[in-house]
Amino acid sequence: MTPREQIGKQAEREYILHGKRGVTPKNLAHKMGVKLSALSQLFPTREDLILEVYRINVQEMNREREEALDRALVDSGGKPLSIESIMDARILPLARRCIEPHKGVQYQVGLSRFFTESSSIKNRILHEQFADLTQRFIDEIERALPYLPREEIRRRFQMTMAAMLGVCGILDMAAYGKEPARSEQEMWKMVHDLRDFLCEGFSAPVQDRHSPSSIHLNDGGRQWQVPLKDIACINADGDYSRVYYASGGCDMVRQTMKAWESIL
Amino acid sequence: MTPREQIGKQAEREYILHGKRGVTPKNLAHKMGVKLSALSQLFPTREDLILEVYRINVQEMNREREEALDRALVDSGGKPLSIESIMDARILPLARRCIEPHKGVQYQVGLSRFFTESSSIKNRILHEQFADLTQRFIDEIERALPYLPREEIRRRFQMTMAAMLGVCGILDMAAYGKEPARSEQEMWKMVHDLRDFLCEGFSAPVQDRHSPSSIHLNDGGRQWQVPLKDIACINADGDYSRVYYASGGCDMVRQTMKAWESIL
């Protein structure tokens, strides 16, 4: 291992055990018995160290995802893939890491810590590690499900990825605290349930989203839903709008006319 | 506020800012200028303090969820609810907290920290705060979608809840680091997309899960999927099994015969 890799590995251990508080150049130099100045040359700040931890973990996993897509395309002779094999390529490399005996729980903790990081770190990682890969997946899904508009594919892709992350975050948990924690076999069963669920959600016919059946109102303190059929009209009033109900009465809400246009 | 509530609020602040490391009886007593012995009488350990943080946040939210179900049942005159209104009752109280101006990001951080907690804390919270509520939701979904077997409802409920948590975890993020972070209005749009996605997934017809089209193999180092049609037979061999392929050849895998029976 190069010094860079050694430091990365140590940073990973500290990050899983103690979160970002453990990942400082000073603490790592101390734990590894190296000079702070030497370590700081490679990783000047805590943010550099945290980014390195995610790079180590994400790069290899995303390479596996690319390879799984490549393999599937060789098998299909370049023809459009099934949504099942695309989802497998995306889900299995992550699931395997979360289920691995002994190390799986640590991986899940690292994954959860990601969501406690600053927007700047999260967005840098997404941009550097995921933008191109995601584009490739979206392209393959477009070929697999040509009846879906691109916008709908992007929307569903985001939902499916969120569901995948959510499931990976609860893999080690007992179902609502009632049973003993899941066995490895049960965790794999859950991953396959996830795969089926996402494929079903992805393949569903498109609903007409240009006329939602109800809209969301927000008066600054309270939020609620109103069926569209109960609304007679909406008038702009500066940064606010007045919503007039079919049954009479009216509410002043915080949404602007422009916001309505983007929804309705 | 009672002393108990004051300590809970302070513990919440520390937890969001510094994670569980900040939540010790000693640190809290110091920050609040109270005697450690007095604080320890109410909360003897760090775990008690962390459980209190989740109780504060979850109890109120889950009461809102119950009330939303109650209201919907009054509106329906006791008739089965639509899956949309059930999902709204479950999703909106959480989404609102994650989107609230200023406080939303903090709530998301707290939510993410939950998944880094020990299994013991996670399971206690799930058991104490969620078991009954979840049962009520499952019962309502059963009435809403009577064509779904109970087992399938439980399975889908878990997927939808994971998806909800995943979406709430990424609400403040830009989509794959390419755009500016989402506005409040865009976050609400995402929540409604989530609602639609979950309702579609929940209402989908049941697939025949007793004969999966492919199975998952695991030889201890490697995991892979094989189409069921490519497998000629599976023989038990102690804690392992031998999988014979239709095209010839055989793999030794770590799954036991009992594990196969639960899947096939």
Side-chain angles (χ1 to χ4, degrees):
Chain A
M1 275 205 284
T2 65
R4 193 180 176 86
E5 285 167 340
Q6 285 177 328
I7 296 166
K9 279 282 157 203
Q10 182 70 32
E12 188 186 8
R13 269 192 292 276
E14 294 294 320
Y15 188 68
I16 287 166
L17 283 174
H18 306 297
K20 60 184 151 197
R21 306 205 109 205
V23 185
T24 62
K26 203 175 153 190
N27 183 38
L28 284 182
H30 172 72
K31 292 243 166 151
M32 299 180 69
V34 300
K35 280 207 179 128
L36 178 59
S37 57
L39 193 142
S40 294
Q41 261 186 335
L42 289 166
F43 301 101
T45 68
R46 172 192 282 181
E47 185 161 326
D48 295 314
L49 285 163
I50 291 176
L51 285 170
E52 183 68 10
V53 169
Y54 283 106
R55 268 190 210 114
I56 292 172
N57 282 289
V58 171
Q59 263 171 1
E60 194 188 297
M61 177 174 68
N62 282 352
R63 198 161 42 231
E64 279 177 36
R65 286 166 158 171
E66 291 241 35
E67 285 165 4
L69 272 190
D70 291 340
R71 265 198 313 277
L73 279 167
V74 168
D75 288 350
S76 82
K79 291 208 189 78
L81 303 177
S82 67
I83 186 72
E84 284 79 12
S85 57
I86 299 172
M87 286 291 120
D88 274 350
R90 189 80 186 199
I91 297 170
L92 295 183
L94 173 63
R96 191 165 56 71
R97 286 168 169 75
C98 290
I99 296 178
E100 262 171 353
H102 315 302
K103 287 168 71 181
V105 173
Q106 287 184 8
Y107 202 89
Q108 288 180 54
V109 169
L111 183 66
S112 305
R113 288 209 198 284
F114 174 71
F115 295 99
T116 69
E117 290 297 343
S118 69
S119 290
S120 123
I121 286 191
K122 287 190 289 194
N123 280 335
R124 263 187 78 177
I125 293 164
L126 287 178
H127 186 62
E128 288 174 15
Q129 308 283 333
F130 284 92
D132 293 344
L133 181 74
T134 294
Q135 193 54 53
R136 227 196 124 183
F137 272 86
I138 300 261
D139 290 345
E140 284 306 333
I141 296 170
E142 242 186 332
R143 296 208 313 147
L145 306 172
Y147 57 89
L148 287 183
R150 191 170 188 97
E151 217 17 75
E152 186 67 13
I153 289 179
R154 298 195 83 87
R155 194 185 73 87
R156 292 188 184 186
F157 189 73
Q158 218 155 37
M159 294 299 139
T160 54
M161 291 306 97
M164 175 188 73
L165 292 170
V167 166
C168 286
I170 62 170
L171 271 178
D172 73 314
M173 263 189 258
Y176 295 99
K178 282 199 157 170
E179 296 143 49
R182 289 188 184 86
S183 69
E184 201 185 321
Q185 193 75 28
E186 286 167 331
M187 288 196 252
W188 276 113
K189 171 111 179 53
M190 196 163 170
V191 169
H192 293 143
D193 282 350
L194 169 69
R195 200 270 299 251
D196 293 341
F197 185 78
L198 298 187
C199 290
E200 280 161 21
F202 235 124
S203 316
V206 193
Q207 293 206 337
D208 182 3
R209 293 196 192 281
H210 291 290
S211 41
S213 61
S214 66
I215 56 169
H216 179 81
L217 298 177
N218 175 359
D219 71 1
R222 194 166 59 106
Q223 271 109 2
W224 69 104
Q225 290 279 126
V226 175
L228 209 57
K229 63 177 172 48
D230 295 350
I231 291 176
C233 91
I234 300 177
N235 281 342
D237 192 345
D239 283 349
Y240 288 71
S241 333
R242 274 174 212 281
V243 176
Y244 293 90
Y245 299 108
S247 59
C250 149
D251 271 315
M252 182 76 122
V253 295
R254 246 175 44 159
Q255 286 116 316
T256 61
M257 220 51 207
K258 215 177 142 210
W260 294 118
E261 280 159 14
S262 72
I263 304 175
L264 297 174
Chain B
M1 274 205 285
T2 65
R4 196 181 171 84
E5 286 169 339
Q6 284 177 329
I7 296 166
K9 278 282 157 203
Q10 182 71 32
E12 188 186 8
R13 269 193 291 275
E14 293 294 320
Y15 188 68
I16 287 166
L17 283 173
H18 306 298
K20 61 183 152 199
R21 308 206 108 204
V23 185
T24 63
K26 203 173 151 190
N27 183 38
L28 284 183
H30 171 73
K31 292 243 167 149
M32 298 179 71
V34 299
K35 279 204 179 129
L36 178 58
S37 57
L39 191 140
S40 295
Q41 263 187 335
L42 289 167
F43 301 101
T45 69
R46 173 191 282 181
E47 185 161 326
D48 296 313
L49 284 163
I50 291 175
L51 284 169
E52 183 68 11
V53 169
Y54 284 106
R55 269 191 209 111
I56 292 171
N57 282 288
V58 171
Q59 264 172 1
E60 193 189 298
M61 178 173 68
N62 282 352
R63 197 160 44 231
E64 280 176 35
R65 286 166 158 171
E66 292 241 34
E67 285 165 3
L69 273 191
D70 291 340
R71 263 199 314 277
L73 279 167
V74 168
D75 288 350
S76 82
K79 292 210 189 75
L81 303 177
S82 67
I83 186 70
E84 283 78 12
S85 58
I86 299 172
M87 285 292 121
D88 274 350
R90 188 79 185 199
I91 297 170
L92 296 182
L94 174 62
R96 191 165 56 70
R97 285 169 169 75
C98 290
I99 295 178
E100 262 171 353
H102 315 303
K103 286 168 73 181
V105 173
Q106 287 183 8
Y107 202 89
Q108 288 181 55
V109 169
L111 183 66
S112 305
R113 288 208 198 285
F114 174 71
F115 295 99
T116 69
E117 290 297 342
S118 69
S119 290
S120 124
I121 286 190
K122 286 190 290 194
N123 281 334
R124 263 187 78 177
I125 293 163
L126 286 179
H127 186 61
E128 288 174 15
Q129 307 284 333
F130 285 92
D132 293 343
L133 182 73
T134 294
Q135 194 53 55
R136 227 197 124 184
F137 271 86
I138 300 262
D139 290 344
E140 285 304 334
I141 296 170
E142 241 185 332
R143 298 210 308 147
L145 306 172
Y147 57 89
L148 287 183
R150 191 171 188 98
E151 218 16 75
E152 185 68 13
I153 289 179
R154 297 195 83 87
R155 194 184 73 87
R156 292 188 185 185
F157 189 72
Q158 218 156 35
M159 294 298 139
T160 53
M161 290 306 98
M164 175 188 73
L165 292 171
V167 166
C168 286
I170 60 169
L171 271 178
D172 73 315
M173 261 188 261
Y176 295 97
K178 282 199 156 168
E179 296 143 48
R182 288 186 184 86
S183 69
E184 201 185 321
Q185 193 76 28
E186 285 166 333
M187 289 195 253
W188 276 113
K189 170 112 180 51
M190 196 164 170
V191 169
H192 293 141
D193 282 350
L194 168 70
R195 201 271 300 251
D196 293 341
F197 186 77
L198 298 186
C199 290
E200 280 161 21
F202 235 124
S203 316
V206 194
Q207 293 206 339
D208 183 4
R209 290 192 197 286
H210 292 289
S211 41
S213 60
S214 66
I215 57 169
H216 179 80
L217 298 177
N218 175 358
D219 70 1
R222 195 166 60 106
Q223 272 107 4
W224 69 104
Q225 290 280 125
V226 175
L228 208 57
K229 64 177 173 45
D230 295 349
I231 292 176
C233 93
I234 300 177
N235 280 343
D237 193 345
D239 282 349
Y240 288 72
S241 331
R242 275 173 212 281
V243 175
Y244 294 90
Y245 299 107
S247 60
C250 151
D251 271 314
M252 183 76 123
V253 296
R254 247 174 43 161
Q255 286 117 314
T256 61
M257 219 53 206
K258 215 175 140 213
W260 293 120
E261 280 159 15
S262 73
I263 303 175
L264 296 175

